[in-house]
């Protein structure tokens, strides 16, 4: 069966944006830069849910929720 990992955002996860753009996709990489997993970004019904997808340099970006589903092996 497949597995689902849910991001724990208890206490809030946020960061200050270093650049301006529109968020549509994310990736997580290991220390060597190899992509481990990736997914969609949105303000609802996405793998990674942010408070906004319109990112502006200097503004705070908040992660509201996140899930990763791994296929059955």
């Amino acid at each position: 069966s497949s597995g689902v990992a849910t991001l724990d955002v208890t206490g809030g996860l946020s960061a200050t944006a270093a650049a301006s753009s529109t968020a549509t996709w994310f990736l997580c990489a290991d220390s060597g830069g190899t992509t481990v997993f990736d997914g969609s970004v949105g303000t609802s019904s996405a793998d990674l849910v942010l408070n906004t997808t319109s990112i502006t340099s200097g503004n705070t970006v908040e992660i509201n929720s996140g899930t990763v589903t791994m296929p059955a092996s």
Side-chain angles (χ1 to χ4, degrees), residues 41-69:
V41 174
T43 56
S44 65
S45 301
D47 299 317
L48 187 66
V49 177
L50 304 179
N51 63 319
T52 183
T53 57
S54 180
I55 310 299
T56 303
S57 182
N59 286 355
T60 300
V61 179
E62 298 172 3
I63 299 175
N64 294 330
S65 66
T67 58
V68 176
T69 303

Side-chain angles (χ1 to χ4, degrees), residues 2 4 6 27 29 33 38 52-53 68:
S2 62
V4 177
T6 302
L27 69 85
D38 61 350
T52 183
T53 57
V68 176

Side-chain angles (χ1 to χ4, degrees), residues 23-40:
T24 59
W25 202 256
F26 78 96
L27 69 85
C28 289
D30 65 17
S31 61
T34 302
T35 299
V36 178
F37 61 89
D38 61 350
S40 62

